[in-house]
Amino acid sequence: MNKKWIRLMIARNLRRKSISTVCLFIMTVVLTFAVYGGFILTASLRNGMNSLSERLGADLIIVPAGDDAAEQAMLLSGSRSFFYMKKGIGTQTAKVSGVNQTAEQFYLTSMSASCCSGQVQIIGFDPKTDFIIQPWISAQHAEMKKTDEIIAGSNVVLDKNNTIRIFGRNYRVTAQLAKTATGLDDSVYVTMDAIPQMIKDAEKKGFHFLNTQKQSNAVSTVFVKLSEDADRSAAESAIRKICGSEADIVESSELTGQTADHLCLMTFGIKTLMVILWGCEMVTVSAVMVFYMNRRKEEFATLRMMGVRERDLYYMVGGENLILFMSAAALGMLLAAAVFLPFGTYIGMKLQMPFLGLSLSQLIAGGAAAVLTGTATGELISVVAVRTILKKEIYRVLQEEN
């Protein structure tokens, strides 16, 4: 038989839309959705975790006593927090043997859309000592020199001419950070000298601040970077003495370690679910395919009696299932992309884990693998089912049907 006849038979059989065909289609969509959705979720969370580890850039983080959980929540999920301690802790820590750099930050407050271009966390920092923020600058517009100039996170929407309006005052954005999938993407960074003016502008708008927020000798966090040859335990012990009961020390590895453990546990659960779904599809598709092919035994036997070669029957059935499973797998992939790509950040916030989207090449490679998995699984089962039927003699098949 020629190829045109095979194509016509494939089109005719696909138009039947039997219950078996619908079941096979749905099962393949579900499998591919789970495989591709699981890939996007776990790979994006792993990207976010790696970004967080790189983004911190510090070995130790000093926070006010009892506020280590708030610091973690702000970094991971972007929750708005403000807490304070004396500025002298950072100054004394910089003098400790083994400390290479210290960087202080001041968390002022979050600004709602009613007073700003968008809801952002305002963070004060010192550009001269900073090693946390500036290494992540992706677009440099100008050098930060004045108090009316800021650095914006990647999610901050700017006005025309690279400006943002905060408490009725326009601030020029000198640089914007690369995406980190942390709460820092929704923050703006101003110099410590700009904080008093911001507080005055906010109070004119009816906002109220704590007395500690108005003090010039207060900071929220001190990031500490140790020297490569530093005695870590000795340096940490010396810093703890400086902190006393006023502040706690959080190791960056401890901050990311808990999140990494949660990610490993969740990844294991997702992979287990994918294996279970794949096993269920194998069993279900096998049962449906055997039932479907048994119903077509008489058709195959009649075609064989008409002179259709066994090879042509393989091509016909293989072509039918290739179109069926590939279209179902493509739909499952698109549905997974429609769910996990737009709402990935929201999912990460609910899980309290950083979610950093994949590159286009990663998405294409993962999608191709998911489609291949769904298509190959169904195609393999269909070939085995057809082979079982075609092994029988034609007259025996017709005799069984009659």
Side-chain angles (χ1 to χ4, degrees), residues 335-382:
L335 288 175
V339 171
F340 288 97
L341 293 182
F343 303 106
T345 303
Y346 176 77
I347 294 171
M349 288 175 62
K350 287 298 181 182
L351 295 173
Q352 292 193 334
M353 300 177 70
F355 186 100
L356 184 59
L358 304 177
S359 65
L360 181 61
S361 60
Q362 289 175 312
L363 290 172
I364 292 175
V371 171
L372 181 63
T373 300
T375 304
T377 300
E379 192 73 11
L380 178 64
I381 295 172
S382 68

Side-chain angles (χ1 to χ4, degrees), residues 226-231:
L226 300 177
S227 305
E228 293 184 3
D229 58 347
D231 185 337

Side-chain angles (χ1 to χ4, degrees), residues 133-197:
I133 299 166
Q134 294 176 106
W136 281 82
I137 291 176
S138 64
Q140 181 84 45
H141 305 303
E143 188 177 352
M144 194 175 187
K145 295 180 179 179
K146 303 176 182 178
T147 56
D148 63 347
E149 295 175 336
I150 65 172
I151 294 175
S154 62
N155 291 343
V156 177
V157 179
L158 309 182
D159 295 334
K160 293 181 180 179
N161 302 319
N162 295 323
T163 61
I164 183 172
R165 192 170 182 80
I166 301 176
F167 294 132
R169 186 183 298 270
N170 287 326
Y171 289 84
R172 189 164 69 102
V173 177
T174 61
Q176 196 151 15
L177 303 182
K179 190 170 183 63
T180 65
T182 68
L184 303 174
D185 292 336
D186 299 300
S187 303
V188 294
Y189 301 88
V190 302
T191 63
M192 291 289 191
D193 295 334
I195 295 294
Q197 183 61 55

Side-chain angles (χ1 to χ4, degrees), residues 232-382:
R232 190 184 186 94
S233 59
E236 189 171 338
S237 178
I239 295 172
R240 287 190 186 280
K241 290 180 180 179
I242 295 172
C243 294
S245 59
E246 185 182 352
D248 292 332
I249 298 177
V250 181
E251 295 191 18
S252 59
S253 58
E254 178 184 336
L255 186 66
T256 59
Q258 295 177 358
T259 308
D261 291 341
H262 293 158
L263 176 59
C264 289
L265 184 61
M266 189 176 66
T267 301
F268 176 77
I270 291 174
K271 288 181 178 179
T272 302
L273 178 61
M274 288 165 56
V275 171
I276 292 173
L277 284 174
W278 185 78
C280 289
E281 195 213 17
M282 289 285 287
V283 173
T284 306
V285 170
S286 297
V288 174
M289 186 63 70
V290 169
F291 172 77
Y292 180 52
M293 291 303 167
N294 278 328
R295 288 185 60 188
R296 298 180 64 183
K297 286 193 297 184
E298 186 176 358
E299 174 193 346
F300 294 151
T302 302
L303 290 173
R304 291 283 286 123
M305 290 181 66
M306 293 172 60
V308 177
R309 293 175 299 180
E310 185 176 309
R311 184 181 65 182
D312 291 332
L313 288 178
Y314 275 118
Y315 286 154
M316 181 184 74
V317 176
E320 292 172 17
N321 293 320
L322 181 63
I323 294 173
L324 172 68
F325 291 119
M326 184 171 287
S327 59
L331 177 60
M333 180 197 70
L334 292 175
L335 288 175
V339 171
F340 288 97
L341 293 182
F343 303 106
T345 303
Y346 176 77
I347 294 171
M349 288 175 62
K350 287 298 181 182
L351 295 173
Q352 292 193 334
M353 300 177 70
F355 186 100
L356 184 59
L358 304 177
S359 65
L360 181 61
S361 60
Q362 289 175 312
L363 290 172
I364 292 175
V371 171
L372 181 63
T373 300
T375 304
T377 300
E379 192 73 11
L380 178 64
I381 295 172
S382 68

